[in-house]
Amino acid sequence: MTGFPRDFVWGVSTAAQQIEGAVDADGRTPSIWDTFAHRPGTIADGSDADVTCDHYHRWPEDLALLGELGVGAYRFSTSWSRVVPEASGKPNAAGLDFYERLTDALLERGVAPVVNLYHWDLPQWAQDEGGWRDRDTVARYAEYAGIVAGRLGDRVATWSTFNEPFEHCMLGHVTGEHAPGLTLPLDEAFAVAHHLLLAHGNGVRVLREAGAASIMSINSYAPARPASESDADRTVAALYDVLQNRLFTEPLLLGAYPEEVAPLVEPFVREGDLELIASPVDRWGVNYYAINAVRAVDGPIPLEVVAPEGYPRTAFGWAVAPEGLGEVLRDLGDRYGDALPPLVVTENGCAYDDVVDEDGRCDDPDRVRYLSGHLDAVAGAIEAGADVRGYFVWSLTDNFEWAEGFTKRFGLAYLDYTTGERIPKTSFGWYRDRIRAARGGEG
Ligand code: FCB
């Protein structure tokens, strides 16, 4: 096997809202996703995240799976409304205890915890106070970040401030497909974007004060191709590239908004904001799933994202295009040069209609093919000079896939939602062996 340095970090990623369940246990209060999911018509199968994988209670089983896989790192997120359940800002000791137990158990097994502070699950109380439209939410995030860092900072080396602010901003605040389900005009959504970025900057400050060794932000990237050769499609593809691939990247790396959107964000920017947003980070998290095609449509949002023609598709309808990952990794280096920290692929994976057969086995050759192709693309990018330090599969087990509910299975292990049983799929064994081989055969 070529391409992977021996100290390359192999991992899997999860998110609190998608796996924990136990939404009212030990003082936790609702997040915006709990509220949203309980609103009729929001989730494809009418489900909610009240129980999902019940990881809050069954985490030892998930930890055992991580041990079997042999990953070196596990990326999870902390639930803000578990840690700070009320607007008073008072920390919830029981919530912190949970993350501490998990962290300690990971460390005991030699698995490095990678803690993400925000994966789309704003507490409902913070939404009621204005949510991300409101600049005050930035200060509330900093308080929360300080509380988590205060408890775990002596043990957790690697942190991330946010997961995919682009999706959270646009799907949650413009198209309304995600919580909190707002449909703001694009120019108001730039307030949300700026406040998310400013919260990131504050998060970096707070984490540094707590002694964090390695901090990253995590963005999703997808090459944006015009759906046709028409001028209209080319124009919206270029706009989409700015929004998805540059809006949440350039303020951090270059200290400036892309010029195409700068005038729209301007009204929300105060002196000193951009300096804080551009606080240096140590790693650059890249989530990659697919290449997108973009076409022009009439309406308040002038574009539509579709799967490009000519590729196999996952059960989500997303194009299987490993070369897009190589392109993203190389393009980041080309675009930002020395300003770019070392890269980590913090999410990559696929949904297929997995089933458990009569013998209790779940065979998922499509996922093996997908992951294998994408790992080859990472190896190719490294050989071409990209500085990639790790790769995390999304996800350890099937889980609550946001607006898709339980209809999309992304796990290396199948989740039987009736019994809660975790059943490793073929891809689980494949990933375990691949990690072992890349490490030179040692267990
Ligand atoms: C990403 C999200 C993650 C998961 C995957 C499939 O955009 O970060 O939570 O839903 O997509």
Side-chain angles (χ1 to χ4, degrees), residues 18 119-120 163-164 287 289 318 347 394 401-402 410:
Q18 294 178 274
H119 201 123
W120 305 351
N163 175 75
E164 297 191 0
N287 292 355
Y289 289 91
W318 297 349
E347 281 181 30
W394 182 271
E401 179 47 38
W402 310 114
F410 276 90

Side-chain angles (χ1 to χ4, degrees), residues 98-249:
F98 171 68
Y99 295 114
E100 189 171 64
R101 278 196 298 276
L102 181 63
T103 299
D104 287 344
L106 286 164
L107 291 169
E108 265 163 41
R109 281 185 178 271
V111 179
V114 175
V115 177
N116 172 33
L117 289 168
Y118 189 88
H119 201 123
W120 305 351
D121 48 353
L122 189 73
Q124 185 59 45
W125 63 257
Q127 186 62 40
D128 296 341
E129 290 188 345
W132 291 111
R133 271 177 300 175
D134 188 341
R135 196 176 163 105
D136 289 347
T137 302
V138 174
R140 307 311 305 264
Y141 171 87
E143 286 166 25
Y144 153 68
I147 291 167
V148 181
R151 179 67 87 92
L152 302 179
D154 58 343
R155 272 156 283 185
V156 173
T158 307
W159 295 81
S160 100
T161 52
F162 278 88
N163 175 75
E164 297 191 0
F166 166 73
E167 276 73 7
H168 187 47
C169 178
M170 297 302 166
L171 302 178
H173 302 80
V174 179
T175 69
E177 293 161 88
H178 278 188
L182 301 182
T183 49
L184 303 174
L186 249 190
D187 50 354
E188 281 182 47
F190 284 111
V192 172
H194 184 63
H195 296 148
L196 288 168
L197 285 163
L198 194 56
H200 158 81
N202 276 276
V204 174
R205 178 178 53 79
V206 166
L207 288 166
R208 288 274 181 242
E209 281 163 13
S214 181
I215 304 174
M216 60 183 164
S217 88
I218 296 175
N219 283 296
S220 67
Y221 293 93
R225 312 249 196 266
S228 78
E229 294 302 309
S230 76
D231 286 348
D233 285 356
R234 282 170 184 280
T235 305
V236 290
L239 170 66
Y240 191 79
D241 182 51
V242 173
L243 296 177
Q244 165 142 34
N245 298 322
R246 295 172 53 206
L247 170 60
F248 290 93
T249 296

Side-chain angles (χ1 to χ4, degrees), residues 357-379:
D357 68 20
E358 288 162 359
D359 302 326
R361 279 202 292 264
C362 181
D363 192 23
D364 58 342
D366 289 334
R367 180 168 293 99
V368 171
R369 215 168 299 127
Y370 178 100
L371 295 175
S372 172
H374 285 73
L375 271 179
D376 288 348
V378 176

